[in-house]
Amino acid sequence: MKVIVNGEAWEVAAASLAELLTELDWRGDWLATAHNGQVVPAGERAHCRMAEGDRVEILSPMKGG
Amino acid sequence: MRLDPFYPIVDSAALVARLVPLGVRLVQLRIKGAAEAGLRAEIRKAKAVCDCYHSTLVVNDHWRLAIEEGCAVVHLGQEDLALADLAAIKRAGLRFGISSHDRAELAAALAVAPDYVALGPIYPTALKPMRCGPQGLERLAEWKSLVGSLPLVAIGGLDPGRLAGVFAHGADSAAAATDIVGSDNPEARTRAWLQATAWRR
Amino acid sequence: MGASKASVVTVSLRRESPGGRAGGQFWSLVQGLGTAVLPNTAGCHTARDAVTTAQLAREVFGTDWIKLEVIGNHDTLQLHVFELVEAARILSGDGFSVFPYTTDDLVVAERLLDAGCQVLMPWCAPIGSAQGPRDMAALRTLRSHLPGVPLIVDAGIGRPSHAAAVMELGYDAVLLNTAVAQAKDPVAMAVGFAQAVEAGRQGFGAGLLEPRDMAVPSTPLIGRAVFT
């Protein structure tokens, strides 16, 4: 199915957000994820079901004032 | 107790907040006729501002609230003195000043070992109805000879133009009430007073 | 960071690329500093975005602290006070310690305190402008009307003297980035700022002299010699 990750379209097979991260090679315990505008804590990613057209944001620490 | 030469007397915490940041190091909060809840709030607010700016707040009359709110100094008029529990004030570690208008009142004040004494009104004043006429500068010199090294505050009808005489006749500090509170620009008056007392600071 | 003696460092969140390690490396670096971390909501234009960003930041950085920044205009980077107050209310209710980046307006400041903020971070000039305090009277008013509230000047500081000036008003701290980051020698500049902040704070606590129109001799006139 087609999903939008960080503003870009991707074709994925993942059924959950956790699987999506693995499938697209996003790794590390410093990542924050949001699914359709809602925060999904790391522990809940496996239970977050993916659907066609979902928007996902994957963020990590960066400098800033 | 060392008093700053400029001793404004104001009637609200709001005015304390406006004037203290200009460089005022000593300020009296004098509120008459208000209910306790409101008074406590005013004292608390005024104290917060003074603490922030490392200035000394003197609370007029309401010594019990002053103790409860952790204030350091109270000012007592002769009528207030009759009703004040000086033992409680001293036990709480507060310093206190007392007003005087004649030799009998001065004697009564000195008898209780205050931290400063005030004499007024030096000139005619609008602050409150006075029982006696203006004291004048000679009276100030007389008071200084009687109080010695105890700080002496001059009050009543003062403005920056009258300060040279006041300090020359023995005052350690000059109180400003109407000249500031009655002005439509208290900040400007305060700045003028700060400038005029700078050489004594 | 060490040279500045700063006790708090701000961080933000940005999109990570697949397989990316930069975020992890940066985070390890920051954790190694041992300073308190203050994530920000930079880039957010609505309360909703700021709230989501804050929640994401809490996940990653493991702190309830959040520097709340909600911008209303991309060109001027002026903040959106209404969205800011709304976001502050929501985040405070959700257990965050909100450090709002705000204007020098006393009414907005009071609304932020009502919304649950316990600290305020007013600007002294636009972000990155290096102008230094543009309105000392407004900063002084905020300080005197909110005596018990920790006030941190954020934005607009360009040189150490600006930081000293703000500390001399009785502010509790300054937050800055550009003035150090874009200096020719950032470490040396950080040292300068550390000294300026300390100098301003010392001055304020010691009882500052206010400017006078007329000269006042500092040498006593009494007892001076007369030669003619």
Side-chain angles (χ1 to χ4, degrees):
Chain A
M1 66 184 131
K2 198 175 89 193
V3 297
I4 318 267
V5 181
N6 286 353
E8 283 181 30
W10 290 83
E11 187 62 43
V12 298
S16 72
L17 183 54
E19 285 174 34
L20 181 112
L21 290 178
T22 310
E23 184 177 340
L24 299 182
D25 192 34
W26 261 285
R27 280 174 278 140
D29 61 1
W30 54 82
L31 299 177
T33 48
H35 174 248
N36 292 336
Q38 298 299 311
V39 177
V40 181
E44 287 167 35
R45 288 176 193 150
H47 308 297
C48 177
R49 318 257 27 108
M50 296 301 300
E52 179 76 29
D54 276 352
R55 288 168 294 108
V56 172
E57 290 287 337
I58 303 174
L59 308 174
S60 78
M62 214 200 75
K63 64 177 184 173
Chain B
M1 182 179 174
R2 206 192 152 268
L3 295 181
D4 193 86
F6 171 39
Y7 188 172
I9 298 175
V10 301
D11 56 3
S12 68
L15 213 41
V16 171
R18 282 166 67 184
L19 304 183
V20 161
L22 302 177
V24 172
R25 299 195 185 167
L26 175 67
V27 61
Q28 186 186 118
L29 181 65
R30 182 176 181 277
I31 301 175
K32 296 289 191 187
E36 184 173 304
L39 271 173
R40 185 185 294 278
E42 286 290 281
I43 291 172
R44 195 172 280 184
K45 268 192 263 185
K47 180 175 186 290
V49 174
C50 288
D51 286 349
C52 180
Y53 287 89
H54 310 288
S55 293
T56 302
L57 175 67
V58 180
V59 176
N60 182 291
D61 187 19
H62 308 292
W63 55 273
R64 205 176 275 111
L65 284 175
I67 292 173
E68 286 171 16
E69 293 301 314
C71 300
V73 191
V74 292
H75 182 88
L76 303 170
Q78 289 282 325
E79 305 78 15
D80 310 330
L81 186 59
L83 302 168
D85 182 347
L86 289 178
I89 290 171
K90 289 180 184 180
R91 249 193 332 268
L94 268 59
R95 283 165 296 169
F96 61 101
I98 302 181
S99 302
S100 63
H101 310 90
D102 57 41
R103 297 285 287 256
E105 291 189 353
L106 179 61
L110 293 176
V112 294
D115 294 281
Y116 72 83
V117 158
L119 169 67
I122 309 301
Y123 294 96
T125 175
L127 177 63
K128 54 182 178 174
M130 295 305 302
R131 286 177 274 108
C132 53
Q135 305 280 1
L137 295 175
E138 296 309 321
R139 214 55 163 143
L140 201 45
E142 186 192 334
W143 252 234
K144 192 57 187 170
S145 71
L146 294 168
V147 305
S149 60
L150 191 67
L152 177 60
V153 176
I155 181 171
L158 300 185
D159 61 50
R162 289 175 160 164
L163 292 178
V166 157
F167 289 123
H169 283 78
D172 297 292
S173 180
T178 313
D179 193 57
I180 293 184
V181 175
S183 156
D184 54 19
N185 192 342
E187 283 88 346
R189 295 312 296 153
T190 297
R191 288 201 157 98
W193 272 81
L194 283 167
Q195 301 237 353
T197 50
W199 61 286
R200 294 278 307 192
R201 195 154 277 111
Chain C
M1 278 298 301
S4 70
K5 300 193 191 163
S7 46
V8 179
V9 62
T10 52
V11 290
S12 72
L13 285 175
R14 281 293 175 267
R15 286 169 165 174
E16 180 64 277
S17 35
R21 290 283 171 276
Q25 283 163 353
F26 173 72
W27 185 216
S28 302
L29 199 69
V30 171
Q31 284 174 307
L33 293 171
T35 9
V37 169
L38 178 61
N40 71 21
T41 65
C44 293
H45 291 73
T46 63
R48 176 127 185 242
D49 283 352
V51 168
T52 303
T53 302
Q55 291 167 340
L56 289 164
R58 183 160 58 180
E59 275 297 300
V60 173
F61 297 112
T63 173
D64 280 336
W65 283 17
I66 187 77
K67 171 180 161 174
L68 182 60
E69 182 180 304
V70 187
I71 298 300
N73 182 302
H74 333 275
D75 298 320
T76 63
L77 295 183
Q78 281 173 330
L79 53 106
H80 197 316
V81 295
F82 307 107
E83 294 290 295
L84 176 71
V85 173
E86 179 58 13
R89 197 185 50 76
I90 296 169
L91 290 171
S92 297
D94 190 17
F96 283 87
S97 290
V98 179
F99 291 59
Y101 163 56
T102 181
T103 64
D104 52 22
D105 186 297
L106 182 59
V107 177
V108 173
E110 287 168 342
R111 291 293 75 73
L112 288 167
L113 295 172
D114 289 342
C117 298
Q118 294 179 305
V119 174
L120 295 174
M121 307 214 292
W123 66 15
C124 75
I127 297 173
S129 68
Q131 292 174 15
R134 290 204 296 194
D135 192 341
M136 290 288 275
L139 290 177
R140 187 180 291 121
T141 299
L142 267 187
R143 170 72 291 171
S144 67
H145 284 75
L146 304 172
V149 178
L151 296 179
I152 303 171
V153 161
D154 178 19
I157 302 241
R159 47 189 63 187
S161 53
H162 298 157
V166 151
M167 296 303 289
E168 283 167 4
L169 285 178
Y171 275 67
D172 297 285
V174 298
L175 180 59
L176 53 92
N177 180 332
T178 311
V180 166
Q182 292 186 12
K184 270 222 292 263
D185 184 343
V187 174
M189 186 59 79
V191 171
F193 269 102
Q195 292 173 342
V197 165
E198 186 53 35
R201 186 171 189 67
Q202 276 284 105
F204 176 73
L208 293 161
L209 211 51
E210 292 303 316
R212 304 161 183 181
D213 290 339
M214 301 293 293
V216 177
S218 53
T219 307
L221 297 174
I222 295 169
R224 72 194 187 289
V226 178
F227 297 105
T228 49

PDB file of all heavy atoms in Angstrom, chain C residues 149-161:
ATOM      1  N   VAL C 149       8.668  35.434  39.256  1.00  0.00           N
ATOM      2  CA  VAL C 149       8.705  34.505  38.116  1.00  0.00           C
ATOM      3  C   VAL C 149      10.088  34.463  37.489  1.00  0.00           C
ATOM      4  O   VAL C 149      10.648  35.512  37.172  1.00  0.00           O
ATOM      5  CB  VAL C 149       7.690  34.962  37.039  1.00  0.00           C
ATOM      6  CG1 VAL C 149       7.744  34.036  35.826  1.00  0.00           C
ATOM      7  CG2 VAL C 149       6.290  35.027  37.623  1.00  0.00           C
ATOM      8  N   PRO C 150      10.677  33.296  37.316  1.00  0.00           N
ATOM      9  CA  PRO C 150      11.961  33.227  36.606  1.00  0.00           C
ATOM     10  C   PRO C 150      11.778  33.763  35.189  1.00  0.00           C
ATOM     11  O   PRO C 150      10.884  33.318  34.466  1.00  0.00           O
ATOM     12  CB  PRO C 150      12.295  31.728  36.586  1.00  0.00           C
ATOM     13  CG  PRO C 150      11.511  31.151  37.706  1.00  0.00           C
ATOM     14  CD  PRO C 150      10.246  31.977  37.782  1.00  0.00           C
ATOM     15  N   LEU C 151      12.599  34.753  34.828  1.00  0.00           N
ATOM     16  CA  LEU C 151      12.514  35.362  33.500  1.00  0.00           C
ATOM     17  C   LEU C 151      13.828  35.161  32.759  1.00  0.00           C
ATOM     18  O   LEU C 151      14.893  35.487  33.275  1.00  0.00           O
ATOM     19  CB  LEU C 151      12.237  36.873  33.621  1.00  0.00           C
ATOM     20  CG  LEU C 151      10.913  37.298  34.253  1.00  0.00           C
ATOM     21  CD1 LEU C 151      10.833  38.822  34.306  1.00  0.00           C
ATOM     22  CD2 LEU C 151       9.728  36.738  33.489  1.00  0.00           C
ATOM     23  N   ILE C 152      13.702  34.606  31.565  1.00  0.00           N
ATOM     24  CA  ILE C 152      14.885  34.305  30.766  1.00  0.00           C
ATOM     25  C   ILE C 152      14.740  35.045  29.445  1.00  0.00           C
ATOM     26  O   ILE C 152      13.771  34.816  28.707  1.00  0.00           O
ATOM     27  CB  ILE C 152      14.955  32.786  30.475  1.00  0.00           C
ATOM     28  CG1 ILE C 152      14.954  31.985  31.784  1.00  0.00           C
ATOM     29  CG2 ILE C 152      16.174  32.461  29.621  1.00  0.00           C
ATOM     30  CD1 ILE C 152      14.797  30.483  31.587  1.00  0.00           C
ATOM     31  N   VAL C 153      15.687  35.920  29.112  1.00  0.00           N
ATOM     32  CA  VAL C 153      15.581  36.597  27.823  1.00  0.00           C
ATOM     33  C   VAL C 153      16.027  35.643  26.725  1.00  0.00           C
ATOM     34  O   VAL C 153      17.117  35.073  26.784  1.00  0.00           O
ATOM     35  CB  VAL C 153      16.414  37.892  27.785  1.00  0.00           C
ATOM     36  CG1 VAL C 153      16.686  38.324  26.342  1.00  0.00           C
ATOM     37  CG2 VAL C 153      15.674  39.003  28.503  1.00  0.00           C
ATOM     38  N   ASP C 154      15.168  35.461  25.744  1.00  0.00           N
ATOM     39  CA  ASP C 154      15.443  34.539  24.649  1.00  0.00           C
ATOM     40  C   ASP C 154      15.251  35.306  23.358  1.00  0.00           C
ATOM     41  O   ASP C 154      14.217  35.915  23.148  1.00  0.00           O
ATOM     42  CB  ASP C 154      14.448  33.366  24.737  1.00  0.00           C
ATOM     43  CG  ASP C 154      14.622  32.375  23.598  1.00  0.00           C
ATOM     44  OD1 ASP C 154      15.685  32.362  22.952  1.00  0.00           O
ATOM     45  OD2 ASP C 154      13.673  31.608  23.363  1.00  0.00           O
ATOM     46  N   ALA C 155      16.261  35.289  22.487  1.00  0.00           N
ATOM     47  CA  ALA C 155      16.165  35.926  21.163  1.00  0.00           C
ATOM     48  C   ALA C 155      16.631  37.365  21.153  1.00  0.00           C
ATOM     49  O   ALA C 155      16.224  38.181  21.985  1.00  0.00           O
ATOM     50  CB  ALA C 155      14.752  35.861  20.580  1.00  0.00           C
ATOM     51  N   GLY C 156      17.479  37.664  20.210  1.00  0.00           N
ATOM     52  CA  GLY C 156      17.893  39.035  19.961  1.00  0.00           C
ATOM     53  C   GLY C 156      19.232  39.426  20.550  1.00  0.00           C
ATOM     54  O   GLY C 156      19.752  40.501  20.251  1.00  0.00           O
ATOM     55  N   ILE C 157      19.798  38.571  21.376  1.00  0.00           N
ATOM     56  CA  ILE C 157      21.086  38.928  21.991  1.00  0.00           C
ATOM     57  C   ILE C 157      22.199  38.787  20.961  1.00  0.00           C
ATOM     58  O   ILE C 157      22.280  37.779  20.264  1.00  0.00           O
ATOM     59  CB  ILE C 157      21.369  38.003  23.172  1.00  0.00           C
ATOM     60  CG1 ILE C 157      20.230  38.124  24.189  1.00  0.00           C
ATOM     61  CG2 ILE C 157      22.741  38.288  23.769  1.00  0.00           C
ATOM     62  CD1 ILE C 157      20.574  38.602  25.535  1.00  0.00           C
ATOM     63  N   GLY C 158      23.066  39.801  20.856  1.00  0.00           N
ATOM     64  CA  GLY C 158      24.107  39.772  19.839  1.00  0.00           C
ATOM     65  C   GLY C 158      25.513  39.772  20.413  1.00  0.00           C
ATOM     66  O   GLY C 158      26.436  39.221  19.811  1.00  0.00           O
ATOM     67  N   ARG C 159      25.680  40.409  21.560  1.00  0.00           N
ATOM     68  CA  ARG C 159      27.024  40.512  22.118  1.00  0.00           C
ATOM     69  C   ARG C 159      26.948  40.446  23.641  1.00  0.00           C
ATOM     70  O   ARG C 159      25.897  40.680  24.229  1.00  0.00           O
ATOM     71  CB  ARG C 159      27.722  41.773  21.647  1.00  0.00           C
ATOM     72  CG  ARG C 159      26.911  43.028  21.737  1.00  0.00           C
ATOM     73  CD  ARG C 159      27.584  44.201  21.044  1.00  0.00           C
ATOM     74  NE  ARG C 159      27.754  44.010  19.609  1.00  0.00           N
ATOM     75  CZ  ARG C 159      28.432  44.842  18.821  1.00  0.00           C
ATOM     76  NH1 ARG C 159      29.018  45.895  19.328  1.00  0.00           N
ATOM     77  NH2 ARG C 159      28.537  44.609  17.533  1.00  0.00           N
ATOM     78  N   PRO C 160      28.088  40.140  24.272  1.00  0.00           N
ATOM     79  CA  PRO C 160      28.078  39.991  25.730  1.00  0.00           C
ATOM     80  C   PRO C 160      27.472  41.177  26.480  1.00  0.00           C
ATOM     81  O   PRO C 160      26.788  40.978  27.490  1.00  0.00           O
ATOM     82  CB  PRO C 160      29.563  39.811  26.064  1.00  0.00           C
ATOM     83  CG  PRO C 160      30.118  39.115  24.854  1.00  0.00           C
ATOM     84  CD  PRO C 160      29.398  39.736  23.698  1.00  0.00           C
ATOM     85  N   SER C 161      27.687  42.400  26.000  1.00  0.00           N
ATOM     86  CA  SER C 161      27.136  43.554  26.727  1.00  0.00           C
ATOM     87  C   SER C 161      25.614  43.506  26.761  1.00  0.00           C
ATOM     88  O   SER C 161      24.992  43.984  27.710  1.00  0.00           O
ATOM     89  CB  SER C 161      27.614  44.876  26.126  1.00  0.00           C
ATOM     90  OG  SER C 161      27.352  44.904  24.732  1.00  0.00           O
TER      91      SER C 161
END
